Amino acid sequence: MSLKMKLIPLAIGGLISTAVLVLVLIFLLRAWWSTPLQVFGFGEPPEQPIAFPHTVHAQLNGINCAFCHRNVIQGDSASILPVEGCLLCHETIQGEVAEPEIAKVIDHFTNNRPIDWKKIHRLPDHVQFAHEPHVRFLTEVQGLSIEGACSTCHGNVKEMVEVEQTRSLKMGDCVDCHRDNQALTENSDITDCTTCHY
Ligand code: HEC
Ligand code: HEC
Ligand code: HEC
Ligand code: HEC
Ligand code: HEC
């Protein structure tokens, strides 16, 4: 065999491994794009437009999670209290520690500008998630309080000055919990792909 003939299989082998590498890279990049926060780790919450402390509201003043995230018990997304809702209290409560932050809240209200909170938990667009059935299951079937239900997936938020993601909420995490609890629900196919993917 000539040297040229020996090189052909080598060249083909090289092409194949390059193609495999490129595919793996594309896969990793896609995973990275669709869930950027989870790849960077849970430890780095984005900077919020107003330094809103859950400690002061949910812990010290005992305000219920569902007071500000009203939609969790009836809808898909949790929703965040609009700035008018903040004014229910902050019209009178000026805050001793962080007055400039309260001034920002009032400024948003008077100028009719919604507060653009940065998202901390975010699933890719091809995944569907609804809060209502989860909160219902955890409170009615598992007997947890509203706050206990939230902490199943979000950790102990009332002790967080800045909210951080504490649970992976990746596909394996979702599917494991669905498999473990399938028998307890009337929903017999919560492990089917189409339950979570459009
Ligand atoms: C049910 C009442 C209530 C609502 C609603 C409320 N707050 Fe507060 N907030 C408080 C109380 C009480 C304090 C503590 C004030 C103090 O002790 O200085 C506080 C303090 C704060 C502080 C300052 C924290 C500090 O360290 O002093 C910020 C900032 C703040 N709130 C932002 C908001 C924003 C933004 C909203 C709307 C999403 C909101 N609050 C809704 C009651 C409320
Ligand atoms: C006084 C209103 C208020 C109360 C009470 C409150 N929150 Fe929040 N929550 C907010 C605001 C405002 C934000 C957006 C700013 C931030 O991320 O800190 C937020 C953000 C969050 C986030 C992050 C959302 C994201 O972008 O992924 C979670 C999770 C959360 N809250 C859970 C809870 C839980 C659990 C409780 C009860 C222990 C609670 N909250 C009580 C106002 C409130
Ligand atoms: C089974 C897990 C699970 C439970 C239980 C849960 N959450 Fe969430 N939460 C998520 C996921 C996943 C997201 C991201 C949703 C997305 O990106 O579409 C999220 C997002 C949020 C957000 C950001 C706004 C939004 O709706 O996307 C807030 C605020 C929030 N959750 C609050 C709460 C509160 C308050 C409770 C308790 C009443 C709660 N969550 C219970 C998994 C959960
Ligand atoms: C703590 C356990 C738990 C975790 C974690 C969890 N789920 Fe679920 N999920 C359930 C249970 C239980 C049900 C069935 C509720 C029922 O129908 O009574 C359910 C139902 C659903 C449904 C069907 C809702 C409907 O309307 O029938 C979807 C979609 C879903 N989950 C998506 C997700 C996704 C996506 C994740 C991960 C981000 C996730 N879940 C994480 C326990 C969990
Ligand atoms: C309980 C909810 C749930 C079920 C059931 C589920 N998935 Fe997923 N899947 C997710 C979530 C959440 C993500 C995004 C987070 C991640 O990448 O893990 C995801 C991501 C994916 C991705 C990665 C897409 C990308 O952008 O990288 C693929 C592929 C996928 N799922 C296929 C499937 C197939 C096939 C099935 C059925 C065998 C299935 N899933 C069942 C929740 C689910």
Side-chain angles (χ1 to χ4, degrees), residues 17-111:
S17 36
T18 313
V20 168
L21 253 179
V22 167
L23 282 177
V24 168
L25 262 176
I26 289 175
F27 178 81
L28 287 177
L29 272 176
R30 271 185 57 100
W32 181 67
W33 274 122
S34 44
T35 45
L37 293 168
Q38 295 173 349
V39 172
F40 288 129
F42 317 137
E44 297 247 354
E47 196 179 321
Q48 297 292 357
I50 291 167
F52 174 87
H54 276 78
T55 44
V56 173
H57 294 87
Q59 175 97 301
L60 272 176
N61 288 289
I63 309 170
N64 195 283
C65 314
F67 180 82
C68 295
H69 303 296
R70 204 156 293 208
N71 206 42
V72 271
I73 36 182
Q74 66 214 29
D76 290 358
S77 68
S79 78
I80 294 177
L81 187 73
V83 65
E84 300 84 77
C86 313
L87 262 289
L88 289 176
C89 295
H90 288 294
E91 190 121 60
T92 47
I93 301 170
Q94 298 301 311
E96 287 158 27
V97 194
E99 273 172 72
E101 297 303 305
I102 304 288
K104 282 196 230 165
V105 178
I106 291 168
D107 184 61
H108 274 272
F109 175 74
T110 43
N111 292 307

Side-chain angles (χ1 to χ4, degrees), residues 127-144:
V127 180
Q128 52 184 333
F129 176 84
H131 274 87
E132 187 273 330
H134 291 94
V135 174
R136 187 168 28 81
F137 173 79
L138 290 165
T139 53
E140 289 175 14
V141 181
Q142 306 281 52
L144 298 176

Side-chain angles (χ1 to χ4, degrees), residues 35-46 120-121 160 162-170 173:
T35 45
L37 293 168
Q38 295 173 349
V39 172
F40 288 129
F42 317 137
E44 297 247 354
I120 296 152
H121 300 77
M160 298 177 190
E162 284 174 77
V163 182
E164 286 175 27
Q165 181 165 351
T166 56
R167 179 169 178 155
S168 99
L169 298 169
K170 286 275 204 178
D173 189 19

